[in-house]
Amino acid sequence: MANRGPSYGLSREVQEKIEQKYDPELESRLVDWIVAQCGGNIEKPQPGRQNFQIWLMDGTILCRLINSLYPRGKEPIKKIPETQMAFKQMEKISQFLQAAEAYGVITTDIFQTVDLWEGKDMAAVQRTLMALGSVALTKDDGLYRGNRDWFHRKSQGNRREFSEEQLRQGQNLIGLQMGSNRGASQAGMTGYGMHRQIIDTVESNC
């Protein structure tokens, strides 16, 4: 664990509140998922927030985790060096965070490198890993490994796709409607408004 000076006064109170947000049960679930997802010879850490931090803080397991969510040959992190150099380990954590965001984890769910490296906010680390697992489960691309009940699927918008022919038919219908209603003006209608009207017309005729 990285050496940190003692916390005093308000900073100690803040740190204690942060540590209270850490979920030991969630830790166990995340460890099980990471081991199942990465495969290989990864050993589970002993239970506890500090052990969980030490297990992840060199960045190697995190890099292996994000790579395991991509098809072989398309992994975002090409080299994962084994190193004891602090700045190299922090660099691996940073690479994981960038790759996790590119994978679909929203920025507000991404922890800061010091949250893990210095153990400042391990609850934030848990939040990022939970978000990553949820995105992986939602993608449903065959690369997620583990119990599917460990994470919740993220909600996705009900998006409908239309063929070019359907959109053309919608435009023709709108043209007829405009011709039969000369008093109605569409001047100033935005591109989005016109597109929305086409979509609504197509949907009403599907």
Side-chain angles (χ1 to χ4, degrees):
M1 179 175 178
N3 292 326
R4 300 200 313 275
S7 299
Y8 298 102
L10 181 61
S11 64
R12 183 178 181 85
E13 290 179 11
V14 171
Q15 186 62 36
E16 287 176 350
K17 287 182 179 179
I18 290 173
E19 291 176 0
Q20 287 172 4
K21 296 179 181 178
Y22 185 82
D23 187 338
E25 292 184 6
L26 183 56
E27 170 199 303
S28 178
R29 185 195 312 177
L30 289 170
V31 168
D32 286 343
W33 175 55
I34 291 170
V35 171
Q37 183 66 45
C38 293
N41 56 351
I42 294 180
E43 294 185 6
K44 293 183 179 181
Q46 291 297 312
R49 185 178 61 84
Q50 185 173 340
N51 290 327
F52 188 58
Q53 179 205 358
I54 293 171
W55 190 55
L56 297 175
M57 67 180 289
D58 77 349
T60 298
I61 290 175
L62 292 177
C63 289
R64 287 182 59 179
L65 175 63
I66 192 66
N67 277 354
S68 72
L69 296 171
Y70 284 82
R72 182 166 296 182
K74 295 185 178 181
E75 297 90 343
I77 303 174
K78 303 303 179 185
K79 293 183 179 180
I80 310 175
E82 295 286 344
T83 176
Q84 298 300 317
M85 299 176 68
F87 80 94
K88 286 291 186 181
Q89 294 181 353
M90 294 177 75
E91 187 178 77
K92 285 191 287 184
I93 296 173
S94 180
Q95 286 180 312
F96 161 77
L97 294 174
Q98 292 174 11
E101 189 168 356
Y103 184 74
V105 177
I106 61 175
T107 305
T108 52
D109 283 338
I110 297 288
F111 68 82
Q112 301 295 311
T113 300
V114 293
D115 292 336
L116 172 57
W117 175 254
E118 297 184 6
K120 287 184 175 295
D121 191 352
M122 290 303 295
V125 176
Q126 288 186 319
R127 184 170 63 248
T128 298
L129 292 172
M130 282 297 295
L132 181 63
S134 293
V135 173
L137 183 63
T138 303
K139 283 179 181 288
D140 200 20
D141 54 9
L143 294 171
Y144 174 86
R145 304 187 190 102
N147 190 325
R148 302 181 74 84
D149 292 331
W150 284 338
F151 303 100
H152 295 293
R153 288 180 179 273
K154 289 188 172 292
S155 60
Q156 294 178 308
N158 184 20
R159 183 178 177 181
R160 295 190 63 182
E161 299 291 340
F162 301 100
S163 68
E164 291 184 8
E165 180 61 28
Q166 287 176 312
L167 291 173
R168 276 198 298 270
Q169 290 174 0
Q171 288 175 326
N172 291 337
L173 287 169
I174 288 171
L176 292 171
Q177 291 170 357
M178 289 173 65
S180 63
N181 188 9
R182 293 173 183 269
S185 172
Q186 294 198 1
M189 178 176 280
T190 64
Y192 171 79
M194 180 65 75
H195 180 74
R196 182 65 260 168
Q197 188 173 358
I198 292 171
I199 295 299
D200 292 342
T201 303
V202 174
E203 286 183 334
S204 66
N205 286 275
C206 287

